[in-house]
């Protein structure tokens, strides 16, 4: 997107502004619009940063899921051993 300062200045002059007022206002408006614009390269850069951060977080989440899965497996094995031991004790009675 471009800001046509010449056309903007012409419109201001046609509305009654002096040439100096029109030029200063057109330049100030262009500067403000340019400062607020987001470029494709900026967006691409920001998206790449977010993508890298997301990949990192997904890796952390995957590691945490694996850790929790291992803990659950150990707990279930412990419960199974305890149940078998309890059944063995009951059967001996």
């Amino acid at each position: 997107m471009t800001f046509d300062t010449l056309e903007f200045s012409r419109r201001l002059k046609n509305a009654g502004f002096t040439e100096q007022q029109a030029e200063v206002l057109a330049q100030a408006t262009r500067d403000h619009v340019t400062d607020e614009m987001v470029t494709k390269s900026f967006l691409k850069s920001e998206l790449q940063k977010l993508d890298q951060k997301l990949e990192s977080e997904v890796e952390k989440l995957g590691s945490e899921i694996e850790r929790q899965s291992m803990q659950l497996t150990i707990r279930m094995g412990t419960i199974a051993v305890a149940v078998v031991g309890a059944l063995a004790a009951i059967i001996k009675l």
Side-chain angles (χ1 to χ4, degrees):
M1 177 178 136
T2 59
F3 181 75
D4 187 351
T5 55
L6 182 59
E7 177 60 27
F8 188 69
S9 180
R10 282 186 196 147
R11 286 184 177 191
L12 292 173
K13 284 186 253 180
N14 289 339
F17 284 77
T18 67
E19 186 166 340
Q20 183 181 11
Q21 288 172 329
E23 288 177 7
V24 168
L25 185 56
Q27 185 64 39
T29 303
R30 185 189 66 81
D31 291 346
H32 178 70
V33 168
T34 303
D35 287 346
E36 297 298 318
M37 284 186 358
V38 176
T39 63
K40 286 181 184 179
S41 61
F42 174 78
L43 284 176
K44 187 175 180 179
S45 171
E46 291 300 304
L47 285 173
Q48 286 174 342
K49 288 177 191 176
L50 286 172
D51 186 47
Q52 290 171 351
K53 185 175 181 179
L54 182 59
E55 284 179 14
S56 173
E57 292 299 318
V58 167
E59 285 179 26
K60 288 178 187 175
L61 183 58
S63 296
E64 181 63 20
I65 289 172
E66 286 181 32
R67 188 179 72 76
Q68 292 290 333
S69 178
M70 182 61 74
Q71 285 182 347
L72 184 58
T73 300
I74 291 169
R75 286 180 184 164
M76 292 302 291
T78 302
I79 291 170
V81 168
V83 167
V84 168
L87 284 175
I90 292 171
I91 292 173
K92 285 185 179 180
L93 294 175

